[in-house]
Coordinates of all heavy atoms in Angstrom, one line a residue:
M1 N 71.7 -92.2 -148.3 CA 72.1 -92.7 -149.7 C 70.9 -92.5 -150.7 O 71.2 -92.1 -151.8 CB 72.5 -94.2 -149.5 CG 72.9 -94.8 -150.8 SD 73.6 -96.4 -150.4 CE 74.6 -96.6 -151.8
F2 N 69.7 -92.8 -150.2 CA 68.6 -92.7 -151.1 C 67.9 -91.3 -151.0 O 67.7 -90.8 -149.9 CB 67.5 -93.7 -150.9 CG 67.9 -95.1 -151.3 CD1 68.4 -96.1 -150.5 CD2 67.9 -95.4 -152.7 CE1 68.8 -97.3 -150.9 CE2 68.2 -96.7 -153.2 CZ 68.7 -97.6 -152.3
Q3 N 67.5 -90.7 -152.1 CA 66.8 -89.5 -152.1 C 65.3 -89.8 -152.0 O 64.6 -89.0 -151.3 CB 67.1 -88.8 -153.4 CG 66.4 -87.5 -153.6 CD 66.8 -86.8 -154.9 OE1 67.8 -87.2 -155.5 NE2 66.0 -85.9 -155.4
S4 N 64.9 -90.8 -152.6 CA 63.5 -91.3 -152.5 C 63.5 -92.8 -152.4 O 64.6 -93.4 -152.2 CB 62.6 -90.8 -153.6 OG 63.1 -91.2 -154.8
Y5 N 62.4 -93.5 -152.6 CA 62.3 -95.0 -152.5 C 63.5 -95.7 -153.1 O 64.2 -96.5 -152.5 CB 61.0 -95.5 -152.9 CG 60.8 -97.0 -152.9 CD1 61.0 -97.6 -151.7 CD2 60.6 -97.7 -154.1 CE1 60.8 -99.0 -151.7 CE2 60.5 -99.0 -154.0 CZ 60.6 -99.7 -152.8 OH 60.5 -101.1 -152.8
L6 N 63.7 -95.5 -154.4 CA 64.8 -96.2 -155.1 C 65.7 -95.2 -155.9 O 66.6 -95.7 -156.6 CB 64.2 -97.2 -156.1 CG 63.6 -98.5 -155.5 CD1 63.0 -99.3 -156.6 CD2 64.7 -99.2 -154.8
K7 N 65.6 -93.9 -155.6 CA 66.5 -93.0 -156.3 C 67.6 -92.5 -155.4 O 67.4 -92.1 -154.3 CB 65.6 -91.8 -156.7 CG 66.4 -90.7 -157.5 CD 65.5 -89.8 -158.3 CE 66.3 -88.7 -159.0 NZ 67.7 -89.0 -159.4
F8 N 68.9 -92.7 -155.9 CA 70.0 -92.3 -155.2 C 70.2 -90.8 -155.2 O 69.7 -90.1 -156.1 CB 71.3 -92.9 -155.8 CG 71.5 -94.4 -155.6 CD1 71.6 -95.2 -156.6 CD2 71.6 -94.9 -154.3 CE1 71.8 -96.6 -156.4 CE2 71.7 -96.2 -154.1 CZ 71.8 -97.1 -155.1
R9 N 70.8 -90.3 -154.2 CA 71.1 -88.8 -154.2 C 72.2 -88.6 -155.2 O 72.9 -89.5 -155.6 CB 71.7 -88.4 -152.8 CG 70.8 -88.6 -151.7 CD 71.4 -88.1 -150.4 NE 70.4 -88.3 -149.3 CZ 69.4 -87.5 -149.1 NH1 69.2 -86.5 -149.8 NH2 68.6 -87.8 -148.1
D10 N 72.3 -87.3 -155.6 CA 73.4 -87.0 -156.6 C 74.8 -87.1 -156.0 O 75.7 -87.4 -156.6 CB 73.1 -85.6 -157.2 CG 72.0 -85.5 -158.1 OD1 71.5 -86.6 -158.6 OD2 71.5 -84.4 -158.4
H11 N 74.9 -86.7 -154.7 CA 76.2 -86.7 -154.0 C 76.0 -87.3 -152.6 O 75.0 -87.3 -152.0 CB 76.7 -85.3 -153.9 CG 77.0 -84.6 -155.1 ND1 76.1 -83.9 -155.9 CD2 78.2 -84.6 -155.8 CE1 76.7 -83.5 -157.0 NE2 78.0 -83.9 -157.0
C12 N 77.1 -87.9 -152.1 CA 77.1 -88.4 -150.7 C 77.0 -87.2 -149.8 O 77.7 -86.2 -150.0 CB 78.4 -89.1 -150.5 SG 78.6 -89.7 -148.8
R13 N 76.2 -87.4 -148.7 CA 76.0 -86.3 -147.8 C 77.2 -86.1 -146.9 O 77.4 -85.0 -146.3 CB 74.7 -86.5 -146.9 CG 73.5 -86.1 -147.7 CD 72.3 -86.0 -146.7 NE 72.0 -87.3 -146.2 CZ 70.9 -87.5 -145.4 NH1 70.1 -86.6 -145.1 NH2 70.7 -88.7 -145.0
V14 N 78.0 -87.1 -146.7 CA 79.1 -87.1 -145.8 C 80.4 -86.6 -146.5 O 81.0 -85.6 -146.1 CB 79.4 -88.4 -145.2 CG1 80.6 -88.4 -144.3 CG2 78.1 -88.9 -144.4
C15 N 80.8 -87.3 -147.6 CA 82.1 -87.0 -148.3 C 81.9 -86.3 -149.6 O 82.9 -85.9 -150.2 CB 82.9 -88.3 -148.4 SG 82.1 -89.4 -149.6
G16 N 80.7 -86.1 -150.1 CA 80.5 -85.4 -151.4 C 80.8 -86.2 -152.6 O 80.8 -85.7 -153.7
A17 N 81.0 -87.6 -152.5 CA 81.2 -88.4 -153.6 C 80.1 -88.3 -154.6 O 78.9 -88.2 -154.2 CB 81.4 -89.9 -153.2
N18 N 80.4 -88.3 -155.9 CA 79.4 -88.2 -157.0 C 78.7 -89.5 -157.2 O 79.4 -90.5 -157.6 CB 80.2 -87.7 -158.2 CG 79.2 -87.4 -159.3 OD1 78.0 -87.6 -159.2 ND2 79.7 -86.8 -160.4
F19 N 77.4 -89.5 -157.0 CA 76.7 -90.8 -157.2 C 75.9 -90.7 -158.6 O 75.2 -91.6 -158.9 CB 75.6 -90.9 -156.1 CG 76.2 -91.3 -154.8 CD1 75.4 -91.2 -153.7 CD2 77.5 -91.8 -154.7 CE1 75.9 -91.6 -152.4 CE2 78.0 -92.1 -153.4 CZ 77.2 -92.0 -152.3
K20 N 76.2 -89.7 -159.4 CA 75.4 -89.6 -160.6 C 75.6 -90.8 -161.6 O 74.8 -91.2 -162.3 CB 75.7 -88.3 -161.3 CG 75.1 -87.1 -160.7 CD 75.4 -85.8 -161.4 CE 74.7 -84.7 -160.7 NZ 75.2 -83.4 -161.1
A21 N 76.8 -91.4 -161.5 CA 77.1 -92.5 -162.4 C 76.6 -93.8 -161.8 O 76.7 -94.8 -162.5 CB 78.6 -92.6 -162.7
A22 N 76.1 -93.8 -160.6 CA 75.6 -95.0 -160.0 C 74.4 -95.6 -160.8 O 73.4 -94.9 -161.0 CB 75.2 -94.7 -158.6
D23 N 74.6 -96.8 -161.2 CA 73.5 -97.5 -161.9 C 73.7 -99.0 -161.8 O 74.5 -99.6 -162.4 CB 73.6 -97.1 -163.4 CG 72.4 -97.7 -164.2 OD1 71.4 -98.2 -163.5 OD2 72.5 -97.8 -165.4
A24 N 72.9 -99.5 -160.9 CA 72.9 -101.0 -160.7 C 72.1 -101.7 -161.8 O 72.2 -103.0 -161.8 CB 72.4 -101.3 -159.3
G25 N 71.4 -101.0 -162.6 CA 70.7 -101.6 -163.7 C 69.6 -102.6 -163.2 O 68.9 -102.3 -162.3
D26 N 69.6 -103.7 -163.9 CA 68.6 -104.8 -163.6 C 69.1 -105.7 -162.5 O 68.3 -106.6 -162.1 CB 68.2 -105.6 -164.8 CG 67.6 -104.7 -165.9 OD1 67.0 -103.7 -165.5 OD2 67.6 -105.2 -167.1
G27 N 70.3 -105.5 -162.0 CA 70.9 -106.4 -161.0 C 70.0 -106.7 -159.8 O 69.7 -107.9 -159.6
P28 N 69.6 -105.7 -159.1 CA 68.7 -106.0 -157.9 C 67.5 -106.7 -158.3 O 67.1 -107.7 -157.6 CB 68.4 -104.6 -157.4 CG 69.4 -103.7 -158.0 CD 69.8 -104.3 -159.3
A29 N 66.8 -106.4 -159.4 CA 65.6 -107.0 -159.8 C 65.8 -108.5 -160.0 O 65.0 -109.4 -159.7 CB 64.9 -106.4 -161.0
V30 N 66.9 -108.9 -160.7 CA 67.2 -110.3 -161.0 C 67.3 -111.1 -159.7 O 66.7 -112.2 -159.6 CB 68.5 -110.4 -161.8 CG1 68.9 -111.8 -162.0 CG2 68.2 -109.8 -163.2
F31 N 68.1 -110.6 -158.7 CA 68.3 -111.3 -157.5 C 66.9 -111.4 -156.8 O 66.6 -112.5 -156.2 CB 69.3 -110.6 -156.6 CG 70.7 -110.8 -157.0 CD1 71.4 -109.8 -157.5 CD2 71.3 -112.1 -156.8 CE1 72.7 -110.0 -157.9 CE2 72.6 -112.3 -157.2 CZ 73.3 -111.2 -157.7
I32 N 66.1 -110.4 -156.8 CA 64.9 -110.4 -156.0 C 63.9 -111.3 -156.7 O 63.1 -112.0 -156.0 CB 64.3 -109.0 -155.9 CG1 65.2 -108.2 -154.9 CG2 62.9 -108.9 -155.5 CD1 65.0 -106.8 -154.8
I33 N 63.8 -111.4 -158.0 CA 63.0 -112.3 -158.7 C 63.3 -113.8 -158.3 O 62.4 -114.6 -157.9 CB 63.1 -112.2 -160.2 CG1 62.4 -110.9 -160.7 CG2 62.5 -113.4 -160.9 CD1 62.7 -110.5 -162.1
L34 N 64.6 -114.1 -158.2 CA 65.0 -115.4 -157.8 C 64.6 -115.7 -156.4 O 64.1 -116.8 -156.0 CB 66.5 -115.6 -158.0 CG 66.9 -115.6 -159.5 CD1 68.5 -115.6 -159.6 CD2 66.4 -116.8 -160.2
I35 N 64.9 -114.8 -155.5 CA 64.7 -115.0 -154.0 C 63.2 -115.0 -153.7 O 62.7 -116.0 -153.0 CB 65.5 -113.9 -153.2 CG1 67.0 -114.1 -153.4 CG2 65.0 -114.0 -151.8 CD1 67.8 -113.0 -152.9
V36 N 62.5 -114.0 -154.2 CA 61.1 -114.0 -153.9 C 60.3 -115.2 -154.5 O 59.4 -115.8 -153.9 CB 60.5 -112.6 -154.3 CG1 58.9 -112.6 -154.1 CG2 61.1 -111.5 -153.4
G37 N 60.7 -115.5 -155.7 CA 60.1 -116.7 -156.4 C 60.3 -118.0 -155.6 O 59.4 -118.8 -155.5
A38 N 61.5 -118.1 -155.0 CA 61.8 -119.3 -154.2 C 61.1 -119.3 -152.9 O 60.9 -120.4 -152.3 CB 63.3 -119.4 -153.9
I39 N 60.6 -118.1 -152.5 CA 59.8 -118.1 -151.2 C 58.3 -118.3 -151.5 O 57.7 -119.0 -150.8 CB 60.1 -116.7 -150.5 CG1 61.5 -116.7 -150.0 CG2 59.1 -116.6 -149.3 CD1 61.9 -115.3 -149.5
V40 N 57.8 -117.6 -152.5 CA 56.3 -117.6 -152.7 C 55.8 -118.8 -153.4 O 54.7 -119.2 -153.2 CB 55.8 -116.3 -153.4 CG1 56.1 -115.1 -152.5 CG2 56.4 -116.1 -154.8
T41 N 56.7 -119.5 -154.2 CA 56.2 -120.7 -154.9 C 55.9 -121.8 -153.9 O 54.8 -122.3 -153.9 CB 57.3 -121.1 -155.9 OG1 57.5 -120.0 -156.8 CG2 56.8 -122.3 -156.7
P42 N 56.8 -122.1 -152.9 CA 56.4 -123.1 -151.9 C 55.2 -122.6 -151.1 O 54.4 -123.4 -150.6 CB 57.7 -123.3 -151.1 CG 58.8 -122.7 -151.9 CD 58.2 -121.7 -152.8
L43 N 55.2 -121.3 -150.8 CA 54.1 -120.8 -150.0 C 52.7 -121.1 -150.7 O 51.8 -121.5 -150.0 CB 54.3 -119.3 -149.8 CG 53.1 -118.5 -149.1 CD1 53.1 -119.0 -147.6 CD2 53.3 -117.0 -149.2
L44 N 52.7 -120.8 -152.0 CA 51.4 -121.1 -152.7 C 51.1 -122.6 -152.7 O 49.9 -123.0 -152.4 CB 51.5 -120.6 -154.1 CG 50.2 -120.8 -155.0 CD1 49.0 -120.1 -154.4 CD2 50.4 -120.3 -156.4
I45 N 52.1 -123.4 -152.9 CA 51.8 -124.9 -152.8 C 51.3 -125.3 -151.5 O 50.3 -126.1 -151.4 CB 53.1 -125.6 -153.3 CG1 53.4 -125.3 -154.7 CG2 52.9 -127.1 -153.0 CD1 54.7 -125.8 -155.2
I46 N 51.9 -124.8 -150.4 CA 51.5 -125.2 -149.0 C 50.1 -124.7 -148.8 O 49.3 -125.4 -148.2 CB 52.5 -124.6 -148.0 CG1 53.9 -125.3 -148.1 CG2 52.0 -124.7 -146.6 CD1 55.0 -124.6 -147.4
L47 N 49.8 -123.4 -149.2 CA 48.5 -122.8 -148.9 C 47.4 -123.6 -149.7 O 46.3 -123.7 -149.2 CB 48.5 -121.3 -149.2 CG 49.3 -120.4 -148.3 CD1 49.2 -119.0 -148.8 CD2 48.7 -120.5 -146.9
Q48 N 47.7 -124.0 -150.9 CA 46.7 -124.6 -151.7 C 46.5 -126.1 -151.3 O 45.3 -126.5 -151.3 CB 47.1 -124.6 -153.2 CG 46.7 -123.3 -153.9 CD 46.5 -123.5 -155.3 OE1 47.4 -124.0 -156.0 NE2 45.4 -123.1 -155.8
F49 N 47.5 -126.8 -151.0 CA 47.4 -128.2 -150.7 C 47.5 -128.6 -149.3 O 47.1 -129.7 -148.9 CB 48.4 -129.0 -151.5 CG 48.3 -128.8 -153.0 CD1 49.3 -128.1 -153.7 CD2 47.2 -129.3 -153.7 CE1 49.1 -127.9 -155.1 CE2 47.0 -129.1 -155.1 CZ 48.0 -128.4 -155.8
G50 N 48.0 -127.7 -148.4 CA 48.2 -128.0 -147.0 C 47.2 -127.4 -146.1 O 47.2 -127.6 -144.9
T51 N 46.3 -126.5 -146.7 CA 45.3 -125.8 -145.8 C 44.0 -125.9 -146.5 O 43.9 -126.1 -147.7 CB 45.7 -124.3 -145.6 OG1 45.6 -123.7 -146.9 CG2 47.1 -124.2 -145.0
P52 N 42.9 -125.7 -145.8 CA 41.5 -125.8 -146.4 C 41.1 -124.4 -147.0 O 40.0 -124.3 -147.4 CB 40.6 -126.1 -145.2 CG 41.3 -125.6 -144.0 CD 42.8 -125.7 -144.3
L53 N 42.1 -123.5 -147.2 CA 41.7 -122.2 -147.8 C 41.2 -122.4 -149.2 O 41.7 -123.2 -150.0 CB 43.0 -121.3 -147.8 CG 43.5 -120.8 -146.5 CD1 44.8 -120.0 -146.7 CD2 42.5 -120.0 -145.7
P54 N 40.3 -121.5 -149.6 CA 39.9 -121.5 -151.0 C 41.0 -121.0 -151.9 O 41.9 -120.3 -151.5 CB 38.7 -120.6 -151.1 CG 38.7 -119.8 -149.8 CD 39.5 -120.6 -148.8
D55 N 41.0 -121.5 -153.2 CA 42.1 -121.2 -154.1 C 42.3 -119.7 -154.2 O 43.4 -119.2 -154.3 CB 41.9 -121.8 -155.5 CG 42.1 -123.3 -155.5 OD1 42.6 -123.8 -154.5 OD2 41.7 -123.9 -156.4
W56 N 41.2 -118.9 -154.3 CA 41.3 -117.5 -154.6 C 42.0 -116.8 -153.4 O 42.8 -115.9 -153.5 CB 40.0 -116.8 -154.8 CG 39.0 -116.8 -153.6 CD1 38.1 -117.8 -153.3 CD2 39.0 -115.9 -152.6 NE1 37.5 -117.5 -152.2 CE2 38.0 -116.3 -151.7 CE3 39.7 -114.7 -152.3 CZ2 37.7 -115.6 -150.5 CZ3 39.3 -114.0 -151.2 CH2 38.3 -114.4 -150.3
L57 N 41.8 -117.3 -152.1 CA 42.4 -116.7 -151.0 C 43.9 -117.1 -150.9 O 44.7 -116.2 -150.6 CB 41.7 -117.2 -149.7 CG 42.1 -116.6 -148.4 CD1 42.1 -115.0 -148.5 CD2 41.3 -117.1 -147.2
A58 N 44.2 -118.3 -151.2 CA 45.6 -118.7 -151.2 C 46.4 -117.9 -152.3 O 47.5 -117.5 -152.0 CB 45.7 -120.2 -151.6
L59 N 45.8 -117.7 -153.4 CA 46.5 -116.9 -154.5 C 46.6 -115.5 -154.1 O 47.7 -114.8 -154.3 CB 45.7 -117.0 -155.8 CG 46.4 -116.5 -157.0 CD1 47.7 -117.2 -157.3 CD2 45.5 -116.6 -158.2
T60 N 45.6 -114.9 -153.4 CA 45.6 -113.5 -153.0 C 46.7 -113.3 -151.9 O 47.5 -112.4 -152.0 CB 44.3 -113.1 -152.4 OG1 43.3 -113.3 -153.4 CG2 44.3 -111.7 -151.9
I61 N 46.8 -114.3 -151.0 CA 47.8 -114.2 -149.9 C 49.2 -114.2 -150.6 O 50.1 -113.5 -150.2 CB 47.6 -115.3 -148.9 CG1 46.4 -115.0 -148.1 CG2 48.9 -115.4 -148.0 CD1 46.0 -116.2 -147.2
T62 N 49.4 -115.2 -151.5 CA 50.7 -115.3 -152.2 C 51.1 -114.1 -153.0 O 52.2 -113.6 -152.9 CB 50.7 -116.5 -153.1 OG1 50.2 -117.7 -152.3 CG2 52.0 -116.8 -153.7
M63 N 50.1 -113.5 -153.7 CA 50.4 -112.3 -154.5 C 50.8 -111.1 -153.6 O 51.7 -110.4 -153.9 CB 49.2 -111.9 -155.3 CG 48.8 -112.9 -156.4 SD 50.1 -113.1 -157.6 CE 50.0 -111.6 -158.5
I64 N 50.1 -111.0 -152.5 CA 50.4 -109.9 -151.5 C 51.8 -110.1 -150.9 O 52.6 -109.2 -150.8 CB 49.3 -109.8 -150.4 CG1 48.0 -109.2 -151.1 CG2 49.8 -108.8 -149.3 CD1 46.8 -109.3 -150.2
A65 N 52.1 -111.3 -150.6 CA 53.4 -111.7 -150.0 C 54.5 -111.3 -151.0 O 55.5 -110.8 -150.7 CB 53.5 -113.1 -149.6
A66 N 54.3 -111.7 -152.3 CA 55.2 -111.4 -153.4 C 55.5 -109.9 -153.5 O 56.6 -109.5 -153.6 CB 54.8 -112.1 -154.7
I67 N 54.4 -109.2 -153.6 CA 54.5 -107.7 -153.7 C 55.3 -107.1 -152.6 O 56.2 -106.3 -152.7 CB 53.1 -107.1 -154.0 CG1 52.6 -107.5 -155.3 CG2 53.2 -105.6 -153.9 CD1 51.1 -107.2 -155.5
V68 N 54.9 -107.4 -151.3 CA 55.5 -106.9 -150.1 C 57.0 -107.2 -150.1 O 57.8 -106.4 -149.8 CB 54.7 -107.3 -148.9 CG1 55.5 -107.0 -147.6 CG2 53.3 -106.7 -148.8
L69 N 57.3 -108.5 -150.4 CA 58.7 -108.9 -150.3 C 59.5 -108.2 -151.4 O 60.6 -107.7 -151.1 CB 58.8 -110.4 -150.6 CG 58.5 -111.3 -149.3 CD1 58.4 -112.8 -149.8 CD2 59.6 -111.1 -148.3
C70 N 59.0 -108.0 -152.6 CA 59.7 -107.3 -153.6 C 60.0 -105.9 -153.2 O 61.1 -105.4 -153.3 CB 59.0 -107.3 -154.9 SG 59.0 -108.9 -155.8
L71 N 59.0 -105.2 -152.7 CA 59.1 -103.8 -152.3 C 60.1 -103.6 -151.2 O 60.8 -102.7 -151.1 CB 57.7 -103.2 -152.0 CG 56.8 -103.0 -153.2 CD1 55.4 -102.5 -152.8 CD2 57.4 -102.1 -154.3
A72 N 60.0 -104.6 -150.2 CA 60.9 -104.5 -149.1 C 62.4 -104.8 -149.4 O 63.3 -104.2 -148.8 CB 60.4 -105.5 -148.0
L73 N 62.6 -105.7 -150.4 CA 64.0 -106.1 -150.7 C 64.7 -105.3 -151.7 O 65.9 -105.3 -151.8 CB 64.0 -107.6 -151.1 CG 63.6 -108.6 -150.1 CD1 63.5 -110.0 -150.7 CD2 64.6 -108.6 -149.0
L74 N 63.9 -104.5 -152.5 CA 64.6 -103.7 -153.5 C 65.6 -102.7 -153.0 O 66.7 -102.7 -153.5 CB 63.5 -103.0 -154.4 CG 63.2 -103.8 -155.7 CD1 62.0 -103.1 -156.4 CD2 64.3 -103.9 -156.6
P75 N 65.3 -101.8 -152.0 CA 66.3 -100.9 -151.6 C 67.5 -101.5 -151.0 O 68.6 -101.1 -151.4 CB 65.5 -100.0 -150.5 CG 64.1 -100.2 -150.9 CD 63.9 -101.6 -151.4
P76 N 67.5 -102.5 -150.1 CA 68.7 -103.1 -149.6 C 69.6 -103.7 -150.7 O 70.8 -103.6 -150.7 CB 68.3 -104.1 -148.6 CG 66.8 -104.2 -148.7 CD 66.3 -103.1 -149.4
F77 N 68.9 -104.4 -151.7 CA 69.7 -105.1 -152.7 C 70.3 -104.0 -153.7 O 71.4 -104.2 -154.1 CB 68.8 -106.0 -153.5 CG 68.8 -107.4 -153.0 CD1 68.1 -107.8 -151.9 CD2 69.6 -108.4 -153.6 CE1 68.1 -109.0 -151.3 CE2 69.7 -109.7 -153.0 CZ 68.9 -110.0 -151.9
K78 N 69.5 -103.0 -153.9 CA 70.1 -101.9 -154.8 C 71.3 -101.3 -154.1 O 72.3 -101.0 -154.7 CB 69.0 -100.9 -155.1 CG 69.5 -99.9 -156.1 CD 68.3 -99.1 -156.6 CE 68.9 -98.1 -157.7 NZ 67.8 -97.4 -158.4
S79 N 71.2 -101.1 -152.8 CA 72.3 -100.5 -152.0 C 73.5 -101.4 -152.1 O 74.7 -100.9 -152.3 CB 71.9 -100.3 -150.5 OG 70.8 -99.4 -150.4
V80 N 73.3 -102.7 -151.9 CA 74.5 -103.6 -151.9 C 75.1 -103.7 -153.2 O 76.4 -103.6 -153.3 CB 74.0 -105.0 -151.4 CG1 75.1 -106.1 -151.7 CG2 73.7 -105.1 -150.0
L81 N 74.3 -103.7 -154.3 CA 74.9 -103.8 -155.6 C 75.7 -102.5 -155.9 O 76.7 -102.5 -156.6 CB 73.9 -104.1 -156.7 CG 73.4 -105.6 -156.6 CD1 72.5 -105.9 -157.8 CD2 74.6 -106.5 -156.7
F82 N 75.1 -101.4 -155.5 CA 75.8 -100.1 -155.7 C 77.1 -100.1 -154.9 O 78.1 -99.6 -155.5 CB 74.9 -98.9 -155.3 CG 75.6 -97.6 -155.2 CD1 76.0 -97.0 -156.4 CD2 76.0 -97.0 -154.0 CE1 76.7 -95.8 -156.4 CE2 76.7 -95.9 -154.0 CZ 77.1 -95.2 -155.2
A83 N 77.1 -100.6 -153.7 CA 78.3 -100.6 -152.9 C 79.4 -101.5 -153.6 O 80.6 -101.1 -153.6 CB 78.0 -101.1 -151.5
L84 N 79.0 -102.6 -154.1 CA 79.9 -103.5 -154.8 C 80.5 -102.8 -156.0 O 81.7 -102.9 -156.3 CB 79.3 -104.8 -155.1 CG 79.0 -105.8 -154.0 CD1 78.1 -106.9 -154.4 CD2 80.3 -106.3 -153.4
Q85 N 79.6 -102.2 -156.8 CA 80.0 -101.4 -158.0 C 81.0 -100.3 -157.6 O 82.0 -100.2 -158.3 CB 78.7 -100.8 -158.6 CG 78.8 -100.4 -160.0 CD 77.5 -99.9 -160.5 OE1 76.7 -99.4 -159.8 NE2 77.3 -100.1 -161.8
W86 N 80.7 -99.6 -156.5 CA 81.6 -98.5 -156.1 C 83.0 -99.1 -155.6 O 84.0 -98.6 -156.0 CB 80.9 -97.8 -155.0 CG 81.6 -96.5 -154.6 CD1 82.5 -96.4 -153.6 CD2 81.4 -95.2 -155.1 NE1 82.9 -95.1 -153.6 CE2 82.2 -94.4 -154.5 CE3 80.5 -94.8 -156.1 CZ2 82.3 -93.0 -154.8 CZ3 80.5 -93.4 -156.5 CH2 81.4 -92.6 -155.8
K87 N 82.9 -100.1 -154.8 CA 84.2 -100.7 -154.3 C 85.1 -101.2 -155.4 O 86.3 -101.0 -155.4 CB 83.9 -101.9 -153.3 CG 85.1 -102.5 -152.8 CD 84.8 -103.7 -151.9 CE 86.1 -104.2 -151.4 NZ 86.1 -105.6 -151.1
H88 N 84.5 -101.9 -156.4 CA 85.3 -102.5 -157.5 C 85.5 -101.5 -158.7 O 86.0 -102.0 -159.7 CB 84.7 -103.8 -157.9 CG 84.7 -104.8 -156.8 ND1 85.9 -105.4 -156.4 CD2 83.7 -105.3 -156.0 CE1 85.6 -106.2 -155.4 NE2 84.3 -106.2 -155.1
K89 N 85.0 -100.3 -158.5 CA 85.1 -99.3 -159.6 C 84.6 -99.8 -160.9 O 85.1 -99.6 -161.9 CB 86.6 -98.8 -159.7 CG 87.2 -98.2 -158.5 CD 88.6 -97.8 -158.7 CE 89.2 -97.0 -157.5 NZ 89.0 -97.6 -156.2
A90 N 83.5 -100.5 -160.8 CA 82.8 -101.0 -162.0 C 82.2 -99.9 -162.8 O 81.6 -99.0 -162.2 CB 81.8 -102.1 -161.6
R91 N 82.3 -99.9 -164.1 CA 81.6 -98.9 -164.9 C 81.3 -99.5 -166.2 O 81.7 -100.7 -166.5 CB 82.5 -97.7 -165.0 CG 83.8 -98.0 -165.7 CD 84.7 -96.7 -165.8 NE 86.0 -97.1 -166.2 CZ 86.3 -97.3 -167.5 NH1 85.4 -97.2 -168.4 NH2 87.5 -97.6 -167.8
E92 N 80.5 -98.8 -167.0 CA 80.2 -99.3 -168.3 C 81.4 -99.4 -169.2 O 82.3 -98.4 -169.2 CB 79.2 -98.3 -169.0 CG 78.5 -98.9 -170.2 CD 77.4 -97.9 -170.7 OE1 76.9 -97.1 -169.9 OE2 77.0 -98.0 -171.8
A93 N 81.6 -100.5 -169.9 CA 82.8 -100.6 -170.8 C 82.6 -99.7 -172.0 O 81.5 -99.6 -172.6 CB 82.9 -102.1 -171.2
T94 N 83.7 -99.1 -172.5 CA 83.6 -98.2 -173.6 C 84.5 -98.8 -174.7 O 85.3 -99.7 -174.5 CB 84.0 -96.8 -173.3 OG1 85.4 -96.8 -172.9 CG2 83.1 -96.2 -172.2
N95 N 84.5 -98.2 -175.9 CA 85.4 -98.6 -177.0 C 86.8 -98.5 -176.6 O 87.6 -99.3 -177.0 CB 85.0 -97.7 -178.2 CG 85.6 -98.2 -179.5 OD1 85.8 -99.4 -179.6 ND2 85.9 -97.3 -180.4
E96 N 87.2 -97.5 -175.7 CA 88.6 -97.3 -175.4 C 89.1 -98.5 -174.5 O 90.3 -98.7 -174.5 CB 88.7 -96.0 -174.6 CG 88.4 -94.8 -175.4 CD 88.2 -93.6 -174.5 OE1 88.4 -93.6 -173.3 OE2 87.8 -92.5 -175.1
D97 N 88.2 -99.2 -173.8 CA 88.6 -100.3 -173.0 C 89.2 -101.5 -173.8 O 89.9 -102.3 -173.3 CB 87.5 -100.8 -172.1 CG 87.1 -99.7 -171.1 OD1 88.0 -99.0 -170.6 OD2 85.9 -99.6 -170.8
I98 N 88.7 -101.6 -175.0 CA 89.1 -102.8 -175.8 C 90.2 -102.5 -176.8 O 90.6 -103.3 -177.6 CB 87.9 -103.4 -176.5 CG1 87.2 -102.4 -177.4 CG2 87.0 -104.0 -175.5 CD1 86.1 -103.0 -178.3
Q99 N 90.7 -101.3 -176.8 CA 91.8 -100.9 -177.7 C 93.2 -100.9 -177.1 O 93.3 -100.9 -175.9 CB 91.5 -99.5 -178.3 CG 90.4 -99.5 -179.3 CD 90.1 -98.2 -179.9 OE1 90.5 -97.2 -179.3 NE2 89.3 -98.1 -180.9
Ligands
ZN101 ZN1 80.5 -90.6 -148.8

């Protein structure tokens, strides 16, 4: 499905479906901000107040966890949102849709 890390192929390799119109937009990023934020915020609080780690180390661990989680979750979330878009034939609304 992916040509590179987050870039979809132009066509499906199995059935030849056209993926050029595929655009999940900001959808995956919004979900990931909410999910990763809910994970790393308690992590930072626990590391800062529940362990004897220095603040700079707790912050560094949290930042690395946030970056790794975001990079790991982006492709699957983009895939799921694309699949939902494809299934429900979602597309950009045009002027013709409201007439
Ligand atoms: Zn296909």
Side-chain angles (χ1 to χ4, degrees):
M1 183 169 200
F2 286 103
Q3 180 177 343
S4 60
Y5 176 60
L6 284 176
K7 179 157 178 30
F8 287 121
R9 295 182 183 283
D10 287 343
H11 294 87
C12 175
R13 281 195 293 187
V14 178
C15 67
N18 186 356
F19 289 166
K20 283 182 182 164
D23 182 17
D26 295 338
V30 170
F31 283 109
I32 288 168
I33 287 168
L34 293 173
I35 292 167
V36 172
I39 293 170
V40 298
T41 304
L43 175 68
L44 180 59
I45 293 170
I46 290 168
L47 289 177
Q48 276 206 306
F49 299 111
T51 66
L53 293 176
D55 287 349
W56 68 267
L57 185 57
L59 190 60
T60 302
I61 291 170
T62 306
M63 294 299 287
I64 291 170
I67 291 168
V68 168
L69 281 171
C70 285
L71 292 177
L73 291 176
L74 264 171
F77 269 79
K78 189 166 180 171
S79 299
V80 167
L81 287 185
F82 170 72
L84 288 170
Q85 198 175 29
W86 189 268
K87 179 182 180 212
H88 297 288
K89 298 178 174 53
R91 61 184 171 79
E92 191 172 343
T94 62
N95 193 26
E96 295 163 6
D97 294 322
I98 56 173
Q99 287 178 344

